[in-house]
Amino acid sequence: MRRLLCDQPLVIGLNRLDPDQSHHARSVLRLMPGDGVELFDHAGRIGQGQIESTDPIVSVRVESVNLKKAAQAIVVASAVPKGDRADWLVEKLSEIGVSRWVPLRTERSVVHPEGKGKTDRWRRIAEESAKQSRRVGVMELGELTPLSHFIDSIDPDIAFLLLTDPSAIPLITATHREPTILLIGPEGGWSDEETRSMVDRGLTPVSLGNTILRVETAAVVAAGIVAAKGNV
């Protein structure tokens, strides 16, 4: 059964898709009135329905709505990798089930994406990934945030700072509770001052092993470890 995103909160009764989703359902998937579909929204509501009309906006009648809760609330805050590697990062974090990704501005960051165009692209990628992976809801995308502002806004008891320092404990053995926040620095690493400020704030230093990973690799591996432990 085809899965479609409802941009508004899903309700029992008639739900109208936005123009982009309507075009996708009508012109790409070739869905017709009478076809059965599954609708889901950003918050995790899911409902089985039947298409009533497709011209020009697709309308779907839903008889019941269920609200599903994600197995684990995971927030990833990271520096932004170059080029299409950032697109890959958004797609894979969404597939894993990460609830929110926050791009960080750090001292050694190379990429500082700003503007509506990039955000809109990442939002479309997250939405398409949610359809394909059948995850609960759609991953939220934060605005580009200075590291100092971000660490001041979070609970340090649920936050893990990824380091390559030998003294950092392996993430796979670390005890965590929901929600979990993971911070991943740029490929040049955190500056000494950034590391000191996060440790002083009370974040737990963790590692993914002895090798140096790219931003997107570290983010996906770390999120995958936390998600797997939360599903055990």
Side-chain angles (χ1 to χ4, degrees), residues 38 111 128-129 231:
E38 179 180 89
V111 179
E128 289 304 313
S129 173
N231 286 321

Side-chain angles (χ1 to χ4, degrees), residues 4 51 64-65 107 118 125 129 153 172 184 206 215:
L4 302 173
I51 293 179
S64 64
V65 175
E107 287 188 27
K118 180 64 72 173
I125 291 172
S129 173
S153 70
I172 198 167
I184 295 96
V206 295
V215 176

Side-chain angles (χ1 to χ4, degrees), residues 74-80 89 93 98 100-106 145 147 150-151 154 160 162 180-186 190 198 215 219:
I74 305 170
V75 176
V76 173
S78 75
V80 182
L89 171 63
L93 291 181
V98 169
R100 188 167 186 255
W101 175 58
V102 180
L104 294 178
R105 182 190 293 274
T106 72
T145 305
L147 174 64
F150 183 77
I151 61 176
I154 62 175
F160 293 91
L162 268 73
T180 299
I181 303 172
L182 300 167
L183 286 90
I184 295 96
W190 305 108
M198 286 185 278
V215 176

Side-chain angles (χ1 to χ4, degrees), residues 13-30:
L14 203 61
N15 294 266
R16 292 165 59 86
L17 305 188
D18 68 21
D20 288 341
Q21 293 295 320
S22 293
H23 171 77
H24 180 73
R26 183 181 62 249
S27 302
V28 178
L29 302 180
R30 304 292 183 183

